[in-house]
Amino acid sequence: MSPKTLYDKIWDAHLAHEADDGTCLLYIDRHLVHEVTSPQAFEGLRMSGRKVRAPEKTIAVPDHNVPTTLDRADATTMTEDSRIQVNALDTNAKEFGIHYYPVSDVRQGIVHIVGPEQGWTLPGMTVVCGDSHTATHGAFGSLAHGIGTSEVEHVLATQTLIQKKSKNMKVEITGKLAHGVTAKDITMAVIGKTGTAGGTGYVIEYCGEAIRELSMEGRMTVCNMAIEGGARAGLIAPDEKTFEYCMGRPHAPKGAQWEAALTWWKTLFSDEDAYWDEILVIKAEDIAPLVTWGTSPEDVLPITALVPSADSFTGGKVEAAQRALDYMGLKAGQPLSEVEIDTVFIGSCTNGRIEDLRAAAEILKGKKVKDGIRAMIVPGSGLVRAQAEEEGLADIFKDAGFEWRLAGCSMCLAMNPDQLAPAERCAATSNRNFEGRQGRGGRTHLMSPGMAAAAAITGKLTDVREMM
Amino acid sequence: MEKFNTLTGIAAPMPLINIDTDMIIPKQFLKTIKRSGLGVNLFDEMRYDDDRNEIPTFVLNQDAYRDAQIIIAGDNFGCGSSREHAPWAIADFGITCVIAPSFADIFYNNCFKNGILPIALPQEQIDVLMKDAEKGANARMTVDIEEQTVTTSDGEVFKFEVDTFKKHCLMQGLDDIGLTMEKSASIDTFEAAAQTQRPWV
C-alpha cells in the first residue's frame, strides 16, 4: 500500500461516493451548528420538506450573539435581531431533534470549545460547522473545516459534503519553545511565513517536537488559526495526550468501544514516506512573542520590533500596508512596545480555554489593570468559567480589575454588545485583526493571553517576558 | 438558482488585496434570518460614512459603477469568515462574477451556490482587466462560461479554468442537495459499513 498522510487516511475513511470527474461525497461524522449561519439552512429544509438526516450527529449551541454580561438572561443590551436569531436556533433544534445547549445551560459556550469539551470531537472524525474556525478541532487529528450556509443545509439533509481533495502541507516546528512563547505565537509565526493565502488549497499537518510538547488546549490554538493562513484545515496527529483528553468525556466511547476506537486512532499518523506537496520547517527557538501591527493576520512581528514602513513591502502589499498603517493609526519606525492601548480582550475560540486563563492569571496575580484601561475576560464555555472559579483564577482577574464574563464569542467579532468604538485600540487574544472586526474603526492587535494580560497592566503593548 | 450564461457588463476595479468577508458584509448585518436584502449593505463600512452618507471615492458609489455586474479584485479575495452573507450581498447587489488572482477557499465554494462565478487569473491578466475596468461604464467586459473566456472591451481574450461539475451546476442553476440525494443509496451503504467499523461515531 502506498504511504499516506494523516489527511489521506481520514479522507479515505469517509469517502462515500466518487464520481468519474473526481467530485467526491465526504461523509460527515459531526456537524456543529450556531445561530448565525444556520437559520437560512433550516428554512431551506422546511421549504423543501427535507429532514435532518442524522440528528444524533448534529450539535447546536448559540454563541455569536449572546451577551456575556451577568444579566444576560434579560439583558436589555441584546438587540431584537440577535434575540430573533437565538430564538430561531432554539426552535430549529427542537423541531429537527438535534442536540442542543441553550444559553441557560452551564455547558453553553463557543461551539469550538463545547465540541471537544463534551467529547463530540474525536480523532479521525470529519467535523464541519458553518464557521471558519472549525479548524480548531483538527487538534484531535480530525478533519475539520468551515462551510457556508448552503453547505450547512447540504450536510443537514445528506450528512455529506461535496468535496475535491486538497493538497498536503507539512508544517514542522522543531525544537523547544523559549520561555514566554506559546501556541498562539507558533500559529501566528506560521501565518507570518506563509501569508494569509499561503495555505489556500492545502490541508496543513502541524508536527515536530514543539507541537508534540503542547497540551491539547495549545494544539487547538494552533489549528484554530489554520484558516487565517488560508488552509482548508489544520491537523495534528493524535497521541497519548489526545486520548487522555478524550477519555471519560460525556460523548466519548466507553468500555469495549473505547478500546476499539483507540486501536483505530493509533493508526492515525502520516506514514514516514508520505508525499507532501509543500513542507515548511520553523525552529521553535526562532519564535518570539508576537503581535500584529496591521489589519491582516499575516502582519505579525516580534514585540521587540518596530512598525514597518509600507515601502518595505512589494506588489499589492504596499498599498494594503499603507492602508493598514493609516487605519491602525501607526507610524513606520515606532517601537511596537510603545503603542498605547485602550482595551484588553481575553477570550475567543482561539484563546478562551482554561490553560489560556491560567496563563493570563499568572501574569495578573497581585497586579492591577492600569487606570483607564477597559479589560475583560470572556471564558470559552460555562464549564471553563466554572473551572476558573474553582481554581481561584476568577478572583485574580476580578482583583486585578478585569470584568469576569459569561461564555460566548463576544468581542472577537462584536456581534453581541461587546464592541470597540472608532479608533479604540485593543490587545486581543482572538484571531482576526480585520478592519472593523471588533467594531467599526476599532484597532485590533492580536497576541497570546500572557501578552494581553501584560498589556492590561502597563497600558501598552508589552513584552510578556519582562513580567515573568 | 438563476442559470449563469454569458454575461456582458460593467466591471468595478477593486485592486486592494486580501478583501475579507468582514469588509464585504460587516457583522452587524449577519443577524438576518433571510438570504435576501443584503445588497444595500455590501462593503458597508467602505461605502458609507458614520452618518450613512455615501463615501464618494468608493468605487460602487461612482456613477460609472453603480450598475456593475463584475468586480475585478486583488489577491486572496473573500478571506476570513465563512459567512455566506458575503456572496448573498454580492449577488443581491447585482454582481454575478468576481475576477481576482486568487480566492479564499470557503468563499470560492460559496459563490457557486449562489449563482456567482469566481474566476482566478494570473496577476498580469488581472492587471490588464483592472486597466480596462478603470475606463468606466463604456468599457463592458464579457464573461462566457461555456467557452471559459473573459473578453475585455478591446477584444482581448483570456481563458479561465473552472471545475466541470461546478460549471455544469452553475449553467443549469442546479440544486446540489437534490443531486446528492440521487446518490442516497451510496450514502446508505457507506453509513452502514461505517457503523460496523466505527460504531462509536
Side-chain angles (χ1 to χ4, degrees):
Chain A
M1 230 168 38
S2 61
K4 289 178 177 181
T5 64
L6 171 57
Y7 170 51
D8 296 338
K9 290 179 183 178
I10 303 174
W11 175 274
D12 291 350
H14 291 84
L15 193 57
H17 184 268
E18 183 166 6
D20 296 339
D21 67 356
T23 304
C24 298
L25 280 183
L26 201 64
Y27 191 82
I28 301 303
D29 294 327
R30 292 287 180 265
H31 186 190
L32 309 175
V33 175
H34 66 68
E35 79 278 19
V36 178
T37 56
S38 67
Q40 294 87 349
F42 285 112
E43 188 58 22
L45 291 186
R46 231 175 252 123
M47 308 245 297
S48 51
R50 289 169 177 146
K51 296 184 302 186
V52 175
R53 182 182 165 105
E56 73 284 3
K57 293 173 180 170
T58 313
I59 301 99
V61 59
D63 55 7
H64 282 56
N65 276 281
V66 296
T68 58
T69 42
L70 300 180
D71 64 345
R72 78 166 163 202
D74 44 12
T76 48
T77 47
M78 190 174 189
T79 57
E80 190 53 25
D81 44 7
S82 287
R83 209 180 293 280
I84 289 171
Q85 219 166 36
V86 172
N87 289 344
L89 190 64
D90 286 348
T91 308
N92 288 329
K94 271 196 206 91
E95 184 180 331
F96 290 94
I98 62 182
H99 299 280
Y100 189 51
Y101 302 99
V103 178
S104 56
D105 193 311
V106 70
R107 296 166 297 178
Q108 179 271 346
I110 306 172
V111 64
H112 307 308
I113 294 191
V114 173
E117 215 167 57
Q118 294 300 318
W120 290 113
T121 309
L122 297 169
M125 282 183 163
T126 46
V127 181
V128 296
C129 175
D131 191 287
S132 58
H133 291 112
T134 310
T136 312
H137 308 265
F140 292 79
S142 60
L143 177 60
H145 58 86
I147 54 178
T149 298
S150 296
E151 290 176 317
V152 169
E153 187 178 338
H154 191 280
V155 176
L156 289 173
T158 70
Q159 207 55 30
T160 64
L161 204 54
I162 301 173
Q163 290 278 288
K164 282 245 162 120
K165 202 170 171 203
S166 303
K167 291 180 283 185
N168 280 290
M169 185 191 294
K170 175 160 88 167
V171 173
E172 185 175 0
I173 315 293
T174 61
K176 291 188 190 317
L177 290 175
H179 190 53
V181 181
T182 67
K184 184 65 168 285
D185 301 298
I186 293 180
T187 201
M188 286 170 64
V190 172
I191 300 160
K193 290 260 190 231
T194 62
T196 49
T200 305
Y202 293 95
V203 165
I204 294 177
E205 182 177 337
Y206 301 95
C207 61
E209 187 187 349
I211 298 291
R212 296 258 73 89
E213 289 286 317
L214 293 175
S215 64
M216 287 313 295
E217 284 84 357
R219 293 178 191 184
M220 284 189 254
T221 300
V222 170
C223 289
N224 173 275
M225 287 185 71
I227 182 66
E228 311 315 333
R232 171 158 296 174
L235 286 171
I236 294 173
D239 60 10
E240 290 303 326
K241 280 185 193 168
T242 322
F243 309 143
E244 193 184 321
Y245 180 98
C246 294
M247 197 157 99
R249 303 249 163 209
H251 296 279
K254 315 263 181 314
Q257 290 216 353
W258 170 264
E259 294 305 324
L262 204 56
T263 305
W264 187 58
W265 294 346
K266 287 181 175 171
T267 67
L268 297 174
F269 53 84
S270 290
D271 296 329
E272 206 160 316
D273 303 325
Y275 175 76
W276 299 96
D277 299 278
E278 190 70 47
I279 295 175
L280 172 66
V281 182
I282 297 176
K283 285 189 199 156
E285 60 262 37
D286 291 347
I287 304 175
L290 299 170
V291 291
T292 59
W293 56 268
T295 54
S296 167
E298 69 190 12
D299 299 339
V300 296
L301 280 174
I303 179 64
T304 50
L306 306 179
V307 173
S309 67
D311 55 23
S312 63
F313 297 94
T314 55
K317 190 70 188 174
V318 178
E319 188 198 338
Q322 189 56 55
R323 184 183 167 95
L325 290 173
D326 294 344
Y327 180 87
M328 293 297 290
L330 296 175
K331 292 215 159 37
Q334 188 180 355
L336 281 165
S337 59
E338 287 177 12
V339 175
E340 294 189 351
I341 54 139
D342 307 299
T343 301
V344 175
F345 168 66
I346 297 177
S348 85
C349 58
T350 315
N351 284 125
R353 285 170 285 270
I354 191 68
E355 181 182 279
D356 302 312
L357 302 195
R358 287 182 193 136
E362 197 183 310
I363 303 298
L364 291 169
K365 195 164 191 171
K367 305 265 178 46
K368 293 281 178 206
V369 171
K370 191 175 158 84
D371 278 349
I373 302 287
R374 168 160 79 130
M376 65 167 93
I377 298 195
V378 185
S381 72
L383 293 180
V384 169
R385 184 180 152 92
Q387 190 176 348
E389 289 184 339
E390 205 178 292
E391 293 183 14
L393 308 181
D395 291 332
I396 296 174
F397 300 143
K398 286 187 275 190
D399 290 347
F402 266 85
E403 286 182 58
W404 175 236
R405 296 294 193 90
L406 299 176
C409 299
S410 187
M411 204 192 264
C412 172
L413 87 168
M415 273 192 79
N416 79 344
D418 305 326
Q419 300 179 6
L420 294 181
E424 188 176 345
R425 191 181 295 282
C426 182
T429 66
S430 45
N431 41 58
R432 287 191 176 129
N433 52 346
F434 296 157
E435 286 181 21
R437 172 80 179 179
Q438 295 191 286
R440 182 174 180 137
R443 295 165 173 168
T444 305
H445 295 273
L446 303 176
M447 63 195 74
S448 69
M451 289 280 286
I457 297 165
T458 62
K460 55 184 188 162
L461 302 182
T462 298
D463 191 335
V464 66
R465 292 171 295 192
E466 293 167 5
M467 309 196 85
M468 297 180 101
Chain B
M1 198 167 77
E2 294 274 316
K3 291 181 184 179
F4 190 105
N5 214 316
T6 304
L7 163 71
T8 298
I10 299 162
M14 296 189 74
L16 192 63
I17 62 167
N18 295 332
I19 291 180
D20 57 69
T21 52
D22 274 86
M23 279 183 186
I24 297 172
I25 186 82
K27 71 245 163 217
Q28 58 269 36
F29 306 108
L30 307 188
K31 296 185 183 183
T32 174
I33 54 170
K34 297 185 299 182
R35 292 173 198 246
S36 57
L38 289 168
V40 66
N41 301 115
L42 175 67
F43 296 114
D44 197 86
E45 291 180 1
M46 302 163 95
R47 199 164 147 199
Y48 307 105
D49 66 18
D50 291 342
D51 302 320
R52 304 300 302 164
N53 296 313
E54 286 188 355
I55 298 170
T57 48
F58 183 66
V59 63
L60 296 179
N61 289 334
Q62 295 164 13
D63 285 340
Y65 299 107
R66 284 187 192 276
D67 297 322
Q69 289 172 280
I70 302 166
I71 290 176
I72 314 291
D75 208 10
N76 199 26
F77 189 88
C79 59
S81 155
S82 63
R83 57 188 71 165
E84 199 161 319
H85 308 68
W88 293 337
I90 289 173
D92 195 58
F93 181 91
I95 287 165
T96 50
C97 179
V98 184
I99 310 178
S102 72
F103 293 88
D105 188 41
I106 302 175
F107 175 84
Y108 185 82
N109 284 322
N110 282 343
C111 281
F112 287 95
K113 321 280 185 196
N114 293 284
I116 301 168
L117 174 63
I119 300 176
L121 288 174
Q123 185 68 53
E124 312 82 73
Q125 298 182 5
I126 294 293
D127 292 343
V128 174
L129 294 174
M130 198 70 74
K131 281 219 162 55
D132 196 40
E134 282 163 3
K135 292 178 191 163
N138 292 326
R140 287 169 183 255
M141 285 180 201
T142 297
V143 176
D144 187 329
I145 187 168
E146 174 81 65
E147 294 297 318
Q148 298 180 209
T149 57
V150 181
T151 309
T152 67
S153 63
D154 299 329
E156 195 168 351
V157 180
F158 300 119
K159 191 102 178 127
F160 63 85
E161 294 298 323
V162 58
D163 176 81
T164 319
F165 176 73
K166 288 191 166 86
K167 173 180 172 179
H168 173 70
C169 290
L170 203 56
M171 289 183 71
Q172 303 302 321
L174 294 177
D175 161 25
D176 280 351
I177 299 176
L179 290 175
T180 297
M181 286 196 142
E182 289 171 12
K183 302 191 185 89
S184 54
S186 300
I187 303 173
D188 292 342
T189 309
F190 176 87
E191 209 167 42
Q195 182 59 32
T196 317
Q197 290 156 5
R198 295 179 287 124
W200 61 86
V201 172

